Amino acid sequence: MKKLFVGVRLKRLREERRLTQQGLADAMGISLSYLNQIENNQRPLTVPVLLRLNAAFGADVQLFSDEDEARLVGELREALADPGVSEEISNAELREIATNMPAVGRAIVGLHKNLTRALDQATALAARLGDDRHEGASPFITAPFEEVRDFFYARHNHIDALDRAAEEMAASLGQPLGRMAPALRAYLLEGCQVRVVSQPDGAAAAAQRSFEPASRTLRLSERLSDGQQAFQMATQLAFLRFDQLLEDELAGVAFATVEARALARIGLANYFAGALILPYGAFLQAAEDLRYDIDLLGQGFGVGFETVSHRLSTLQRPGARGVPFFFIRVDRAGNISKRQSATNFHFSRVGGTCPLWNVYGAFSQPGRILTQLAEMPDGRTYLWVARTVSHAIAGYGAPDKTFAIGLGCDLHHASRLVYSKGLRLDDVEARTPIGAGCKICDRPACPQRAFPPVVKTFAIDEARSSFSPYS
């Protein structure tokens, strides 16, 4: 087990509880000198002491996990890769900040996001005024949907209040899991006076769900499966009956735009819908029993590969955690339309993602599940599962919507997944070295490098450089 030196975090917890060192030592049943050594990082935090801390104060053990540390290191690396930071900062220094001064680290990341947002606004304003001198001023794009991603990322993609409310609602419906559509249709009619009708596809491909408040009519596309209908009805139910819960989750969050707040509200309603048709306790138990087999879970709950994968990335209820996953959806061009994380995995918004990642290889083998052991530059290794999904939106001759879905977890969780079968988990040579995006990846000999890192971390041989704009 990795030794955990958490002195600053323990001091912060003590200060929040307004305790002296002696008071904390007495509450934990350890000596004052032992506590002093832990707080000064002279001794690591052991499991028995951590359990005593939890018993005494109910402190979440995740507070002292290195998962958050790795997430923060990734965010700091991206923030400090900005061209405006001239001095190179080593990985060791970043880890020191993340480990011993996490609040300072988060403040740096927050300041960088604010700067990025200001630069983007300046660029947009300059464009409106016909002044293109600011073009390219910021290599980052802080769009509303990026703000929403950050909102869920900061919460480890788990919204406990919504999850529990949805689970209670699922139990009250009394319908078999995977066949909730009839019960939801009846509940909307009787409890909300909302009539659900099928909406034939029009010439412009009808929306999956549209609600008419005046007539209390919810229209669903006739192309939706029973599971998809249940999801859309559950989303509308969140707006109708759990609006205050949605507002409570958004309270105090300073979104930069009205659009970002509206998108976050929709995201929370969708979260509720997923939690309703895939109730936490039952879904987690099924996931553990089936070793996280996505196809079997989809068959059991009547939903598709993408819905199951997304729900698996949310199972982080305190005291009943599933495997912490990173979930992503990309198209052939590398555009990321969904990205949620319950783990420490961090991909950059700068310079795209890594072409060696198996999520992109999935497009060459449609419908087939691909697995990959991928090692990041910091040595952390992840098991990745990737597969394409397609959505037909029109008739013959019209293009389908095709995406690659990726679901990844840290190597030390891999043995819990059916997808680890046959993989050499302990073989370093079996791992594919990938990065978080070329502009912040410091691998000097990557055959797929598109351009050098923003912060120069290795010498470029002019005679052998592959970064010529004319090559």
Side-chain angles (χ1 to χ4, degrees), residues 148-192:
V148 176
R149 287 175 184 170
D150 290 342
F151 171 80
F152 282 96
Y153 183 81
R155 290 156 180 76
H156 289 260
N157 202 30
H158 178 76
I159 311 297
D160 197 58
L162 286 179
D163 227 312
R164 293 183 187 276
E167 190 172 28
E168 291 177 7
M169 170 62 74
S172 70
L173 291 174
Q175 290 292 304
L177 298 178
R179 295 192 293 278
M180 283 191 180
L184 284 169
R185 190 182 297 266
Y187 183 88
L188 283 168
L189 182 60
E190 297 169 9
C192 304

Side-chain angles (χ1 to χ4, degrees), residues 256-295:
T257 63
V258 174
E259 291 81 3
R261 192 181 190 280
L263 282 175
R265 189 168 179 272
I266 294 171
L268 289 172
N270 288 337
Y271 183 100
F272 176 89
L276 178 58
I277 64 176
L278 303 171
Y280 196 100
F283 185 71
L284 175 59
Q285 185 61 56
E288 291 285 348
D289 291 344
L290 297 172
R291 297 189 63 200
Y292 293 84
D293 189 308
I294 300 172
D295 287 325

Side-chain angles (χ1 to χ4, degrees), residues 40 133 142 414 428:
N40 288 286
R133 287 174 294 177
T142 308
V428 177

Side-chain angles (χ1 to χ4, degrees), residues 55-294:
F57 300 102
D60 188 356
V61 295
Q62 283 292 109
L63 178 66
F64 301 100
S65 169
D66 64 348
E67 297 289 326
D68 280 339
E69 173 191 324
R71 287 161 65 97
L72 184 53
V73 167
E75 291 179 319
L76 283 169
R77 184 180 294 114
E78 180 173 337
L80 296 173
D82 191 295
V85 180
S86 58
E87 186 174 350
E88 181 181 338
I89 299 174
S90 70
N91 288 333
E93 290 172 305
L94 295 179
R95 283 194 294 271
E96 184 71 18
I97 294 173
T99 301
N100 291 320
M101 294 176 286
V104 174
R106 287 190 291 270
I108 293 172
V109 171
L111 288 170
H112 180 258
K113 288 179 180 178
N114 290 339
L115 172 62
T116 299
R117 187 177 297 118
L119 289 173
D120 289 335
Q121 291 171 345
T123 301
L125 180 59
R128 290 180 185 178
L129 296 175
D131 183 358
D132 61 357
R133 287 174 294 177
H134 288 82
E135 184 176 354
S138 172
F140 302 87
I141 299 176
T142 308
F145 64 85
E146 288 285 2
E147 278 196 87
V148 176
R149 287 175 184 170
D150 290 342
F151 171 80
F152 282 96
Y153 183 81
R155 290 156 180 76
H156 289 260
N157 202 30
H158 178 76
I159 311 297
D160 197 58
L162 286 179
D163 227 312
R164 293 183 187 276
E167 190 172 28
E168 291 177 7
M169 170 62 74
S172 70
L173 291 174
Q175 290 292 304
L177 298 178
R179 295 192 293 278
M180 283 191 180
L184 284 169
R185 190 182 297 266
Y187 183 88
L188 283 168
L189 182 60
E190 297 169 9
C192 304
Q193 292 74 53
V194 171
R195 185 170 58 100
V196 181
V197 300
S198 293
Q199 172 68 54
D201 282 352
Q208 291 187 332
R209 170 179 55 84
S210 62
F211 179 60
E212 300 171 1
S215 63
R216 306 294 288 177
T217 301
L218 176 62
R219 300 186 182 278
L220 301 179
S221 170
E222 63 181 8
R223 292 182 177 274
L224 298 179
S225 66
D226 287 347
Q228 291 170 327
Q229 287 182 33
F231 183 90
Q232 294 299 335
M233 286 187 282
T235 298
Q236 193 61 50
L237 181 61
F239 290 130
L240 294 171
R241 278 299 172 91
F242 295 91
D243 183 68
Q244 188 56 52
L245 265 181
L246 304 184
E247 291 300 319
D248 289 345
E249 293 297 331
L250 296 172
V253 181
F255 291 105
T257 63
V258 174
E259 291 81 3
R261 192 181 190 280
L263 282 175
R265 189 168 179 272
I266 294 171
L268 289 172
N270 288 337
Y271 183 100
F272 176 89
L276 178 58
I277 64 176
L278 303 171
Y280 196 100
F283 185 71
L284 175 59
Q285 185 61 56
E288 291 285 348
D289 291 344
L290 297 172
R291 297 189 63 200
Y292 293 84
D293 189 308
I294 300 172

Side-chain angles (χ1 to χ4, degrees), residues 314-363:
T314 69
L315 303 181
Q316 294 300 296
R317 176 179 292 177
R321 299 183 190 275
V323 171
F325 284 108
F326 185 101
F327 167 85
I328 192 166
R329 187 180 78 173
V330 301
D331 64 17
R332 292 178 183 273
N335 300 307
I336 299 174
S337 50
K338 291 184 180 180
R339 179 177 61 205
Q340 302 293 348
S341 178
T343 182
N344 52 51
F345 191 80
H346 180 79
F347 256 125
S348 173
R349 302 173 190 176
V350 189
T353 51
C354 183
L356 299 178
W357 195 16
N358 71 336
V359 172
Y360 296 106
F363 288 107

Side-chain angles (χ1 to χ4, degrees), residues 402-426:
T402 300
F403 302 96
I405 302 298
L407 197 68
C409 70
D410 195 279
L411 181 64
H412 71 267
H413 295 294
S415 60
R416 297 168 62 183
L417 276 59
V418 66
Y419 304 106
S420 66
K421 185 178 180 180
L423 297 180
R424 297 173 292 167
L425 300 181
D426 58 349

